[in-house]
Amino acid sequence: MGKKTNATLGSRAVLRTIEAGSSAMCVTCDEQVKFRAKVKMHQVVCNVYVSGKWDRVEHYHLECYEQAGQPYGAPAANVPTRVTTAA
């Protein structure tokens, strides 16, 4: 079992590619964060914590997040969600 820590979690942002089937709405412009086949676009996904507890997830177009002044800090680089290894 994992070790329990007293660390307070803070809100954070991660840069992700927009996947087909995305139905998230951008917090800034209130438009859908849409996948476009010919253009590889990015979104910023933010885990928002209030008083050290997870509260919600917010989605932004990359441009909208930058226009909003990066409210949760500079987004971390896109990290693969799955890791596969050759056996």
Side-chain angles (χ1 to χ4, degrees):
M1 194 157 180
K3 230 182 178 184
K4 187 173 180 172
T5 66
N6 292 328
T8 301
L9 296 175
S11 301
R12 59 195 183 277
V14 177
L15 184 65
R16 299 262 188 237
T17 55
I18 300 173
E19 301 290 331
S22 174
S23 62
M25 299 299 286
C26 178
V27 174
T28 301
C29 69
D30 203 31
E31 291 185 16
Q32 187 176 6
V33 178
K34 289 184 185 177
F35 172 79
R36 293 187 184 134
K38 293 183 180 188
V39 181
K40 192 168 191 169
M41 298 185 66
H42 291 88
Q43 66 176 321
V44 177
V45 181
C46 303
N47 280 304
V48 181
Y49 288 76
V50 176
S51 300
K53 292 184 178 183
W54 181 84
D55 186 61
R56 65 189 178 278
V57 173
E58 293 182 355
H59 295 261
Y60 295 82
H61 295 102
L62 176 57
E63 299 79 18
C64 291
Y65 188 74
E66 291 170 351
Q67 287 176 352
Q70 297 184 339
Y72 303 109
N78 192 8
V79 179
T81 55
R82 292 186 193 158
V83 177
T84 57
T85 57

